[in-house]
Amino acid sequence: MKILILGAGKMGSFFCDVLSTTHDVAIFDTDPRRLLFTFNCRRFSTMEEIEEFTPDMVINAATVKYTIQAFRRIMPYVPDNCILSDIASVKTGLPDFYRESGHPFVSTHPMFGPTFASLSNLSQENAIIIAEGDHLGKVFFKDLYRQLNLHIEEYTFQEHDETIAYSLSIPFASTLVFASCMKHQSAPGTTFKRHKAIADGLMGEDDYLLSEILFNPNTSGQLEKIREKLAELQKIVESHDSEAMQDYLDRVRQNLK
């Protein structure tokens, strides 16, 4: 299969490395300097090269802020039957775009990132495949993700957004609150250091990505749950209610099972 990857960042380069051994892969980036770090593939920097390549599939690994913009730029230069695919963690606007594009599509979300995951060992990581996608496109990514030993779930676009609001918005918001209250520690404890490492990694992500994940329409309800649980904990602490604290801790442990 001829596969065009948009974006030579960490995820684009990762997919290039994974796919180039079994497919004819080309990678396009608006910054030719980033193409210097890609191997075993064709390197494109012009629309004419894309048109001549006639890809069977496009994997859009551009920064989430530019996902749809990147699609629109290359669409006049790819065949009508070319499968469009994205790996975006934020699907805002993509269902409407795909409906209007006239192309077969497949949307997935590999739920690991270069900040925290080891891209050489993904056996403990997950991926979501969107149910509304093209059958052949979904089969392609299911086979790929199984080869990477990822656990796969299939969700609709709506179910994906609801899941991301829970699985990303809660830890993102909690980490932001921790970091916003943080003071320099000359002798930090183990728990503090672990939380700080998570915060450092999170703040190394793209600001637009963080904002869009938190702007998910389902995030507000999750933040309300955090506020309610924090208020409950504050009340217990202020009253020194040992029995209530034990009950709170027991419920937390039950949630972690």
Side-chain angles (χ1 to χ4, degrees):
M1 181 183 287
K2 289 184 176 181
I3 300 174
L4 173 66
I5 297 173
L6 302 181
K10 290 181 179 179
M11 290 303 288
S13 297
F14 168 75
F15 274 90
C16 181
D17 290 343
V18 169
L19 294 169
S20 61
T21 58
T22 52
H23 297 277
D24 187 358
V25 174
I27 190 163
F28 170 83
D29 199 287
T30 54
D31 183 356
R33 292 173 297 180
R34 302 180 81 180
L35 297 172
L36 296 173
F37 304 101
T38 57
F39 305 94
N40 301 320
C41 66
R42 307 175 192 235
R43 304 172 185 178
F44 294 165
S45 57
T46 68
M47 295 298 111
E48 290 72 25
E49 291 171 306
I50 291 175
E51 186 172 30
E52 185 177 347
F53 182 56
T54 62
D56 301 304
M57 174 182 284
V58 173
I59 298 177
N60 192 334
T63 304
V64 66
K65 182 178 182 179
Y66 301 108
T67 300
I68 293 178
Q69 180 179 327
F71 270 141
R72 294 194 189 283
R73 183 176 182 187
I74 59 94
M75 278 180 60
Y77 303 95
V78 300
D80 292 340
N81 62 348
C82 178
I83 299 173
L84 304 182
S85 70
D86 74 273
I87 57 171
S89 54
V90 177
K91 304 299 185 185
T92 304
L94 282 169
D96 290 338
F97 167 78
Y98 283 132
R99 277 193 295 270
E100 297 167 0
S101 73
H103 284 261
F105 75 89
V106 57
S107 183
T108 77
H109 180 184
M111 295 186 68
F112 56 88
T115 299
F116 296 115
S118 170
L119 298 183
S120 61
N121 180 15
L122 299 171
S123 60
Q124 301 300 312
E125 305 296 341
N126 304 289
I128 294 173
I129 295 177
I130 300 300
E132 290 95 330
D134 173 77
H135 174 70
L136 293 178
K138 290 195 293 183
V139 169
F140 173 87
F141 276 98
K142 283 179 181 178
D143 288 344
L144 173 61
Y145 290 155
R146 287 187 182 122
Q147 291 171 20
L148 295 172
N149 296 315
L150 293 165
H151 171 74
I152 303 169
E153 292 286 349
E154 186 167 319
Y155 296 152
T156 65
F157 275 116
Q158 178 61 33
E159 290 169 337
H160 170 271
D161 289 349
E162 292 171 354
T163 299
I164 295 309
Y166 168 76
S167 63
L168 290 184
S169 295
I170 287 181
F172 279 22
S174 300
T175 301
L176 287 172
V177 170
F178 163 78
S180 65
C181 297
M182 193 180 73
K183 294 183 179 180
H184 175 71
Q185 299 283 323
S186 56
T190 301
T191 302
F192 180 92
K193 287 190 288 187
R194 288 178 178 175
H195 276 279
K196 186 178 183 302
I198 292 173
D200 287 338
L202 182 67
M203 299 315 296
E205 296 283 4
D206 179 75
D207 288 355
Y208 183 86
L209 173 63
L210 298 178
S211 298
E212 287 302 294
I213 287 174
L214 292 170
F215 289 163
N216 182 323
N218 299 284
T219 296
S220 180
Q222 300 299 333
L223 293 179
E224 180 62 21
K225 290 181 181 179
I226 294 176
R227 190 194 66 78
E228 290 173 357
K229 293 301 181 182
L230 187 58
E232 180 184 359
L233 180 59
Q234 183 176 8
K235 183 178 179 180
I236 293 171
V237 169
E238 289 176 347
S239 63
H240 294 131
D241 189 335
S242 298
E243 185 176 340
M245 177 62 80
Q246 187 60 58
D247 177 66
Y248 191 95
L249 296 176
D250 289 343
R251 281 183 281 135
V252 169
R253 290 192 177 97
Q254 188 64 35
N255 284 348
L256 293 173
K257 290 182 178 180

